[in-house]
Amino acid sequence: MSTNPPPRSIEELGLRESGEISLYLELIRVIEKDIDEIRAGDTRNGWTTWAIIAGIAGAGLLFLGETRKLTSFPTEQVETISLAGSLLYVLAITGIKLFSFDNLNIKPGRL
C-alpha cells in the first residue's frame, strides 16, 4: 500500500500573495469536490455502463447461438417482437416522465 507524502505548506509552495493563496485554496476545494462526487457515484446502486455493455453483448451472443440452429430465420416473429419491445420501452419512459412529480436527475451512465 502506498503512502501519501506529507502535505506541503503554503510557504513551501512559494505562494506569497493573498490572491495566489485564495486561488490555490479554491482549486483544492474544486478538486476535492470532484473526488467526492466520483466516490459517491461509485457507491450508488444501479447499472454501470460496463454492466449494460456486457448484458447486451451476452444477449447478442445468445441470439447468434440460438439462430445458428435454425434452417430459416423467422423474420416476421422477430419484427413483431422488436416492434413490441420498442413500443413497451417508449411507453415505460413516457410513463416515468408523466408520473414523476419531482424532477428526476438521471445522470448519463446510470439507468
Side-chain angles (χ1 to χ4, degrees):
M1 188 171 157
S2 65
T3 59
N4 294 334
R8 296 170 53 185
S9 68
I10 292 179
E11 291 81 23
E12 288 179 64
L13 294 172
L15 301 175
R16 303 277 185 250
E17 297 179 19
S18 64
E20 289 179 338
I21 294 172
S22 64
L23 185 63
Y24 173 77
L25 293 175
E26 179 67 19
L27 177 65
I28 295 298
R29 187 191 66 76
V30 168
I31 292 172
E32 287 177 346
K33 181 181 175 200
D34 286 346
I35 291 171
D36 290 341
E37 285 178 1
I38 291 170
R39 285 183 181 156
D42 289 344
T43 60
R44 270 193 314 222
N45 292 333
W47 287 81
T48 63
T49 305
W50 291 108
I52 292 172
I53 290 172
I56 291 171
L61 288 174
L62 180 64
F63 176 75
L64 291 175
E66 290 297 319
T67 56
R68 231 173 73 199
K69 301 174 190 173
L70 300 174
T71 55
S72 66
F73 191 76
T75 308
E76 186 177 323
Q77 289 87 356
V78 171
E79 288 174 353
T80 305
I81 290 171
S82 299
L83 288 174
S86 298
L87 178 65
L88 181 64
Y89 174 77
V90 168
L91 289 175
I93 296 300
T94 306
I96 289 172
K97 288 181 181 179
L98 285 176
F99 295 114
S100 93
F101 297 111
D102 57 344
N103 188 9
L104 288 178
N105 187 12
I106 299 175
K107 293 186 178 181
R110 294 291 176 176
L111 189 60

